[in-house]
C-alpha cells in the first residue's frame, strides 16, 4: 500500500522554541518514519504579515531549517522545501480564489482570531487588513493540495484552515470534476505548551519562550525568572508544584528525578533557586544533542543549501503534476 502523505507548514518568523518542539516538531520527527512527509517553509505566508520585513523572513528561513534538522528532521525521510520556490502554489491559489467568498474568509475563526490579535497588538484598524492576509487560507489550501497531502498535522487553532481547504476541494471537484483529494487534519495529542510566565501559550511575541538556539546564559536567565508558587517565600515554605512553571518544565523535559522534586517541594525541603538550577542543568542536558547537530549544520551551510535545493526540486515535481491535472479539469490546458 502506498504511504499516505503528510503535508505541514511553518512560517519562518524566527527560531523554534520549546513550544514548537513539544507541540509539533517532536511529532513530525516521529511521523517522517511512517508517512511520505513534506515540510513547507511557508515564506510566502510569513510575508502576508511581514511584507515590510523581508530581511527577517529571509534570515528566518535558514534559522528554521537548521532548527528542524537539529531536532531530527531527516532529509532522507522528509522533504523540506521553501514555499516561494514553487510557483505552482501561487497559480493554484489564483484558481482557488474564485471558489471562496470574502464573507467566508472573514468568518474563518483562525483568521478572525488573528485579526483580533493584530488589532490588540498594533491597534490596527480593519481597513489595514490586506487582501493577501485575508486570502492566506486559500494559499494554504493550495499548499496542502499541491502535494496531495492526505493528512495535515496541526494544532487545534489551525482546524478551521483545514476545513476551509476541504470546502475548496469539494467545490473544485463539484464544478470541474473529481480532481483533488480532501485532506484530513491529524491532531497531535500534545496540548499547548505553557510559557515561562505561566501563560497558557508559549509564544515568541509573548516573551515567555525558551528557544532551541538560546545560549546557556540566556536560558539560565529565563529559568531564573520563571514563575514559581508565589506563596513560597522562604526556602522551607511548603509549596504547590502544580502551579509552578519550573516544575512544569521539569516534567516536560522528562526529568527522572520528578517525583523527588514534587515531594521535596510539597514538604518545604527544596529551595526555588536550587530547583531552578537543577532544571537548568537538566535542560542543557536535554538540549545537548540538538545543540550538537545545530553546530554541525552551522559549520556546513552548503549542506543546508543542498538539502533545500533537493527538497525544492522534489516538491516542485509533485506540484507540477497537480497543476497539470487542475488545468486540465479547468479546460485551460490549451495545447495538450
Ligand atoms: N498556517 C501555518 C502556521 O501558522 C503554517 C502553514 C503554511 C501550514 N502552510 C501550511 C500548516 C500547510 C499546515 C499545512 O504556522
Ligand atoms: Fe517550583 Fe521548585 Fe520552588 Fe517548588 S521548589 S515552587 S517546584 S521552583
Amino acid at each position: 500500500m502506498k504511504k499516505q502523505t503528510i503535508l505541514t507548514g511553518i512560517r519562518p518568523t524566527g527560531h523554534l522554541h520549546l513550544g514548537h518542539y513539544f507541540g509539533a516538531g517532536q511529532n513530525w520527527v516521529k511521523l517522517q518514519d511512517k508517512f511520505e512527509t513534506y515540510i513547507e517553509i511557508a515564506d510566502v505566508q510569513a510575508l502576508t504579515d511581514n511584507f515590510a520585513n523581508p530581511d527577517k523572513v529571509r534570515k528566518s528561513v535558514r534559522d528554521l531549517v537548521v532548527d528542524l534538522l537539529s531536532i531530527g528532521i531527516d532529509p532522507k525521510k522528509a522533504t523540506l522545501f521553501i514555499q516561494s520556490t514553487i510557483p505552482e502554489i501561487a497559480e493554484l491559489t489564483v484558481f482557488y480564489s474564485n471558489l471562496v467568498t470574502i464573507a467566508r474568509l472573514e468568518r474563518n475563526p483562525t483568521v478572525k482570531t488573528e485579526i483580533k490579535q493584530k488589532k490588540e497588538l498594533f491597534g490596527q484598524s480593519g481597513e489595514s487588513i490586506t487582501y493577501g492576509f485575508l486570502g492566506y487560507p486559500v494559499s494554504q489550501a493550495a499548499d496542502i493540495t499541491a502535494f496531495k497531502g492526505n493528512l495535515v498535522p496541526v494544532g487545534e487553532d489551525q482546524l478551521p484552515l483545514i476545513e476551509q481547504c476541504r470546502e475548496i476541494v469539494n467545490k473544485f471537484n463539484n464544478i470541474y470534476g473529481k480532481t483533488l483529494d480532501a485532506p484530513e487534519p491529524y491532531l497531535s495529542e500534545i496540548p499547548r505548551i505553557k510559557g515561562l510566565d505561566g501563560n497558557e501559550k508559549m509564544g515568541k511575541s509573548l516573551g515567555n519562550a525558551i528557544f532551541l538556539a538560546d545560549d546557556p546564559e540566556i536560558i539560565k536567565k529565563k529559568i531564573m525568572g520563571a514563575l514559581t508558587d508565589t506563596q513560597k517565600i522562604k526556602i522551607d515554605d511548603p509549596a504547590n508544584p502544580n502551579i509552578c512553571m519550573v516544575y512544569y518544565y521539569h516534567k516536560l523535559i522528562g526529568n527522572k528525578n520528578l517525583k523527588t522534586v514534587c515531594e521535596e517541594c510539597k514538604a518545604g525541603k527544596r529551595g526555588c533557586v536550587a530547583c531552578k538550577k537543577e532544571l537548568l542543568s537538566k535542560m542543557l542536558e536535554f538540549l545537548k544533542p540538538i545543540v550538537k547537530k545545530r553546530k554541525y549544520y552551522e559549520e556546513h551551510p552548503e549542506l543546508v543549501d543542498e538539502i533545500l535545493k533537493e527538497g525544492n526540486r522534489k516538491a516542485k515535481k509533485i506540484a507540477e503534476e497537480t497543476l497539470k491535472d487542475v488545468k486540465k479539469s479547468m479546460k485551460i490546458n490549451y495545447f495538450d
Side-chain angles (χ1 to χ4, degrees), residues 7-51:
L7 177 288
T8 194
I10 182 160
R11 295 184 193 191
T13 54
H15 274 292
L16 289 185
H17 54 58
L18 286 180
H20 296 124
Y21 178 73
F22 286 105
Q26 191 191 36
N27 196 30
W28 298 352
V29 172
K30 284 194 206 125
L31 294 176
Q32 65 182 350
D33 288 327
K34 273 199 271 166
F35 299 99
E36 179 76 34
T37 303
Y38 288 84
I39 302 177
E40 175 184 280
I41 312 298
D43 60 341
V44 177
Q45 193 176 109
L47 284 164
T48 62
D49 263 341
N50 294 277
F51 57 86

Side-chain angles (χ1 to χ4, degrees), residues 213-228:
D214 274 346
D215 284 331
E217 270 312 302
I218 307 253
I219 297 180
K220 182 175 177 191
K221 239 202 211 138
K222 288 180 176 173
I223 288 180
M224 289 301 165
L227 178 77
T228 57

Side-chain angles (χ1 to χ4, degrees), residues 226-230 232 235 237-248 250 261-262 264-266 269-276:
L227 178 77
T228 57
D229 179 348
T230 50
K232 180 171 163 86
I235 279 192
D237 283 344
N240 176 6
N242 293 321
I243 55 169
C244 170
M245 287 303 110
V246 177
Y247 181 71
Y248 176 84
H250 274 295
V261 176
C262 182
E264 287 183 358
C265 173
K266 282 184 178 159
K269 289 194 174 132
R270 170 173 277 258
C272 290
V273 173
C275 190
K276 287 171 171 173

Side-chain angles (χ1 to χ4, degrees), residues 111-155:
V111 173
K112 247 170 129 173
T113 311
E114 283 170 345
I115 290 178
K116 201 166 140 253
Q117 281 167 352
K118 274 181 201 291
K119 284 185 184 157
E120 279 164 11
L121 270 174
F122 310 114
Q124 221 171 14
S125 76
E127 276 161 3
S128 56
I129 300 299
T130 64
Y131 165 62
F133 173 77
L134 187 64
Y136 97 77
V138 184
S139 134
Q140 188 153 321
D143 292 342
I144 295 167
T145 52
F147 306 99
K148 310 180 200 293
N150 315 109
L151 296 172
V152 185
V154 286

Side-chain angles (χ1 to χ4, degrees), residues 5 36 108 111 134 163 200 209 305 307:
T5 299
E36 179 76 34
N108 183 311
V111 173
L134 187 64
E163 189 47 41
E200 280 307 308
D305 277 346
I307 289 167

Side-chain angles (χ1 to χ4, degrees), residues 42-108:
D43 60 341
V44 177
Q45 193 176 109
L47 284 164
T48 62
D49 263 341
N50 294 277
F51 57 86
N53 300 310
D55 291 328
K56 173 176 150 192
V57 175
R58 184 186 174 92
K59 179 177 181 302
S60 299
V61 168
R62 257 194 177 270
D63 289 349
L64 187 58
V65 171
V66 171
D67 284 345
L68 288 168
L69 294 168
S70 306
I71 64 169
I73 294 297
D74 179 350
K76 286 196 211 75
K77 297 179 186 162
T79 306
L80 271 168
F81 68 97
I82 304 175
Q83 187 182 17
S84 64
T85 67
I86 320 284
E88 287 75 12
I89 299 174
E91 285 188 65
L92 290 173
T93 305
V94 173
F95 299 144
Y96 295 170
S97 64
N98 294 326
L99 310 177
V100 187
T101 65
I102 292 170
R104 174 66 181 87
L105 288 169
E106 283 172 341
R107 262 191 284 117
N108 183 311

